Amino acid sequence: MRIIWDKYRNIAFTKGIIMSINVNEKKAIINDSNIEIKSVYTSADVVKNNVEELPGEFPYTRGIQKDMYRGKFWTMRQYAGFSTAQESNQRYHYLLKQGVSGLSIAFDLPTQIGYDCNHPLAHGEVGKVGVSICHLQDMATLFKGIQLENISTSMTINSTAYILLAFYVALAKKQQADLTKLTGTIQNDILKEYIARGTYIYPPKPSLKIITDIFEWCKHEVPKWNTISISGYHIREAGSTAVQEVAFTLSNGKQYVQAALDKGLDINSFGKRLSFFFNAHNNLFEEIAKFRVARKIWAQIMKSFGATDPKAMMLRFHTQTGGSTLTAQQPYNNIVRTTIQSLAATLGGTQSLHTNSYDEALGLPTELAAQVALKTQQIVAYESGITQTVDPLAGSYYLENLCAEMEALIWQKIKHVDDMGGSLVAVENNYFQNEIAETAFKYQQSIESKNKIIVGVNDFIVPENETIPILKVNTAIQTEQIALLNQIKSERNALTAKTALENLDRDCKENKNIMPAVLYAVENMCTLGEIADVLRNIYGEYKSV
């Protein structure tokens, strides 16, 4: 039987008989946020507002600057850090020569959870997923030949963010930099660690106190520094939907704002230094809508808290392409994935962007893979044309409808967290953790059932014979790091270091702002582990339920 399809009328002709075939009679298409997608959208699907939203104006749906990328491109960062400070420094100089406009530092797990390289729990982990930093000399080596006053630095660090910030400021002082000109960000978002990532040390309440100490101290010492990057990235990596990512992140943001207000800080002051960190996944329109809606909702949240300064209501965010979307199978496909994700982030109005390397599902990025990742951003910026006008997809029937649908769902989840008593209570009750676990389970089921196709993983599989070069960290670096640590301890003024730690202990117990004592400690060569242990002995360690 020969069938000829008429694509315009959905009719098949066979042996002179006309058969009506309803090719569109399929299951409903549902995106990852559980929103049903129609086949066609018209003006009837768009809710019309009396007020025309414009870029640079409240509620900033269309972007926080009037001219966006016509005035200046987003900051092109490449997240990097591995092995020793010396090796990472070489990678940073390479990236700067390739055209990155900001550095983004990855720290190893011992550094993230407050252990020096000689701690038993650090064994086998030193320098593996980031650079090992134990003392001020490590930080000086990390930035050798790089003037901190002239670059913007982002540091992905949370439970020990107060120590790494002190290292950075102490080094800037040694470089005789103008501290008022230092720009950058510490992630410093501890709530998402309890929710999704796990690199916490202290219980939530004292951790919030440390964060607000940083807010207060930076206002006077490093006023241009972004004191927190409230992160949805790791929430998404743990398996959340786009709606959950924004709702849980903004709920955490509300908790930080309330903690700062309770400390007596001015929302119009600290609000300007809040920043966010989001993920970018493969569903182009869902991700663009997510970014637009996040800006709108945060502006309304800050206004409800009493913010009046426009800059205190603006949601400024960094984006990283989705690490969990990368596949070890057919790894060159990941270049295409990160390109789509880069388009989502930039069409959504990001302020800075990191593109993952195609080999990150296999190991740390090689120089070639990191170069391709950066070139992806540069091609999007200089060749795609999307930077020529502000918010180019605004007015799309589909996008505007999707924004409205996502906004309603996000507000619904934020209200649910509010009704529970806020993010702190939700964390303690495992609400976020359970929601994400359920979502991740359903997502994995959809892959295994092939309801969701991942090219090269559950469909379109081809034989793979090509060997991808993998960057491996030399296991001998732990011995080298320990030797340097021992040397630092033997050469420092032991009495001054002891006094500095005692001062920190006192200030912590007296509920003072700990940052001046932390800075004094690092300047006198106290180590990251020693400083973290002072607070461990006072606050204890958090144990997840």
Side-chain angles (χ1 to χ4, degrees):
M1 175 166 50
R2 180 168 176 261
I3 297 178
I4 303 173
W5 290 96
D6 183 327
K7 63 180 179 180
Y8 300 106
R9 292 183 293 154
N10 298 334
I11 291 175
F13 298 85
T14 175
K15 291 187 177 179
I17 303 172
I18 298 178
M19 302 185 301
S20 178
I21 310 290
N22 190 350
V23 294
N24 293 320
E25 199 172 281
K26 298 177 181 177
K27 290 192 299 184
I29 295 176
I30 310 290
N31 71 11
D32 292 339
S33 291
N34 205 33
I35 296 170
E36 184 173 347
I37 306 302
K38 296 167 60 175
S39 60
V40 176
Y41 288 82
T42 68
S43 59
D45 295 299
V46 180
V47 177
K48 299 294 183 182
N49 296 319
N50 294 326
V51 180
E52 180 74 25
E53 291 186 350
L54 294 173
E57 295 183 11
F58 183 90
Y60 312 108
T61 310
R62 301 191 61 190
I64 61 171
Q65 288 111 11
K66 289 184 178 181
D67 58 354
M68 286 301 288
Y69 307 138
R70 284 172 66 102
K72 179 185 177 183
F73 289 147
W74 60 92
T75 301
M76 297 181 192
R77 299 187 187 275
Q78 283 307 115
Y79 185 50
F82 62 97
S83 188
T84 62
Q86 185 175 0
E87 285 197 67
S88 289
N89 174 262
Q90 292 170 3
R91 175 64 64 89
Y92 298 154
H93 279 285
Y94 170 78
L95 290 171
L96 288 168
K97 287 178 182 176
Q98 294 298 316
V100 298
S101 47
L103 295 176
S104 186
I105 314 301
F107 298 97
D108 70 0
L109 286 174
T111 303
Q112 292 181 48
I113 54 178
Y115 293 128
D116 287 333
C117 57
N118 62 349
H119 194 282
L121 291 178
H123 184 71
E125 292 294 340
V126 175
K128 282 293 178 67
V129 298
V131 62
S132 172
I133 301 292
C134 297
H135 41 72
L136 183 56
Q137 183 57 49
D138 277 340
M139 189 64 97
T141 303
L142 186 67
F143 289 99
K144 185 177 180 180
I146 300 170
Q147 290 299 308
L148 302 188
E149 190 177 310
N150 299 332
I151 61 165
S152 170
T153 303
S154 173
M155 294 189 279
T156 303
I157 196 75
N158 295 282
S159 57
T160 54
Y162 66 102
I163 306 173
L164 272 300
L165 177 60
F167 281 146
Y168 195 86
V169 172
L171 178 59
K173 289 173 68 176
K174 285 172 72 86
Q175 292 183 352
Q176 297 184 324
D178 182 350
L179 299 187
T180 65
K181 294 181 180 178
L182 285 188
T183 60
T185 305
I186 43 171
Q187 194 162 98
N188 198 28
D189 175 8
I190 201 63
L191 289 175
K192 70 98 172 50
E193 295 297 326
Y194 306 117
I195 294 169
R197 194 158 175 266
T199 61
Y200 45 73
I201 303 174
Y202 318 113
K205 288 180 182 177
S207 293
L208 281 177
K209 191 266 181 188
I210 296 169
I211 287 169
T212 55
D213 280 359
I214 293 171
F215 288 1
E216 184 178 50
W217 183 78
C218 285
K219 175 186 175 182
H220 303 289
E221 301 297 325
V222 279
K224 289 188 177 180
W225 193 266
N226 295 326
T227 52
I228 193 169
S229 178
I230 306 163
S231 175
Y233 183 85
H234 302 98
I235 290 172
R236 191 68 178 279
E237 289 293 281
S240 80
T241 65
V243 164
Q244 290 171 327
E245 178 189 356
V246 174
F248 297 168
T249 303
L250 299 192
S251 291
N252 289 347
K254 291 182 70 175
Q255 187 74 70
Y256 293 128
V257 170
Q258 188 60 59
L261 292 173
D262 291 344
K263 196 179 182 73
L265 302 182
D266 178 8
I267 193 169
N268 285 321
S269 178
F270 74 79
K272 297 175 187 177
R273 303 266 54 95
L274 303 179
S275 64
F276 288 80
F277 175 24
F278 289 118
N279 210 314
H281 274 220
N282 290 327
N283 191 315
L284 183 68
F285 285 94
E286 183 179 19
E287 296 299 298
I288 296 168
K290 176 188 79 177
F291 296 131
R292 299 174 92 245
V293 169
R295 273 194 299 270
K296 181 178 183 179
I297 293 177
W298 184 247
Q300 293 168 336
I301 286 172
M302 289 299 278
K303 188 174 184 179
S304 72
F305 271 116
T308 55
D309 190 314
K311 289 187 177 180
M313 293 185 272
M314 293 177 180
L315 184 146
R316 297 167 298 116
F317 69 98
H318 168 71
T319 309
Q320 182 173 338
T321 57
S324 62
T325 69
L326 303 181
T327 64
Q329 302 93 329
Q330 301 177 29
Y332 291 123
N333 293 348
N334 294 329
I335 299 172
V336 182
R337 293 186 177 104
T338 56
T339 303
I340 294 169
Q341 293 161 9
S342 299
L343 286 168
T346 49
L347 287 167
T350 192
Q351 275 60 68
S352 73
L353 175 63
H354 162 83
T355 37
N356 289 324
S357 301
Y358 63 79
D359 57 356
E360 289 190 49
L362 301 169
L364 292 167
T366 61
E367 278 196 359
L368 174 61
Q371 184 185 70
V372 171
L374 177 60
K375 297 302 178 188
T376 300
Q377 289 200 53
Q378 292 169 341
I379 290 168
V380 169
Y382 290 96
E383 298 185 30
S384 71
I386 67 168
T387 62
Q388 294 171 358
T389 188
V390 179
D391 196 21
L393 289 179
S396 156
Y397 299 145
Y398 173 37
L399 182 65
E400 297 293 351
N401 179 275
L402 191 54
C403 284
E405 293 263 17
M406 293 185 77
E407 182 181 355
L409 291 173
I410 291 165
W411 272 120
Q412 186 180 44
K413 288 192 175 293
I414 291 173
K415 185 179 184 303
H416 185 66
V417 174
D418 287 345
D419 291 344
M420 293 177 69
S423 279
L424 204 58
V425 176
V427 165
E428 292 170 345
N429 291 339
N430 281 325
Y431 165 69
F432 295 129
Q433 299 92 314
N434 292 337
E435 281 266 311
I436 294 169
E438 183 178 350
T439 301
F441 178 69
K442 289 178 179 177
Y443 184 82
Q444 186 59 35
Q445 282 184 315
S446 71
I447 293 173
E448 292 178 6
S449 65
K450 286 195 173 183
N451 285 331
K452 187 170 188 67
I453 299 299
I454 307 297
V455 174
V457 175
N458 63 355
D459 207 346
F460 308 107
I461 299 167
V462 296
E464 296 183 68
N465 300 316
E466 187 174 2
T467 302
I468 303 293
I470 298 175
L471 176 64
K472 293 185 178 180
V473 175
N474 186 349
T475 56
I477 69 154
Q478 182 164 6
T479 303
E480 297 171 14
Q481 278 292 89
I482 291 173
L484 178 59
L485 177 65
N486 291 336
Q487 180 184 341
I488 292 292
K489 285 185 173 183
S490 67
E491 293 177 353
R492 72 186 180 183
N493 185 315
L495 180 59
T496 305
K498 181 174 180 292
T499 302
L501 294 173
E502 288 172 349
N503 291 344
L504 175 59
D505 180 87
R506 181 200 63 225
D507 286 1
C508 193
K509 287 176 178 174
E510 292 179 359
N511 207 35
K512 293 181 180 178
N513 190 311
I514 65 169
M515 286 306 298
V518 174
L519 181 61
Y520 182 74
V522 303
E523 287 179 323
N524 285 282
M525 303 312 293
C526 295
T527 71
L528 174 133
E530 290 172 333
I531 294 169
D533 281 346
V534 170
L535 274 64
R536 271 193 184 92
N537 292 334
I538 296 170
Y539 296 140
E541 294 188 78
Y542 178 73
K543 305 295 182 185
S544 64
V545 179

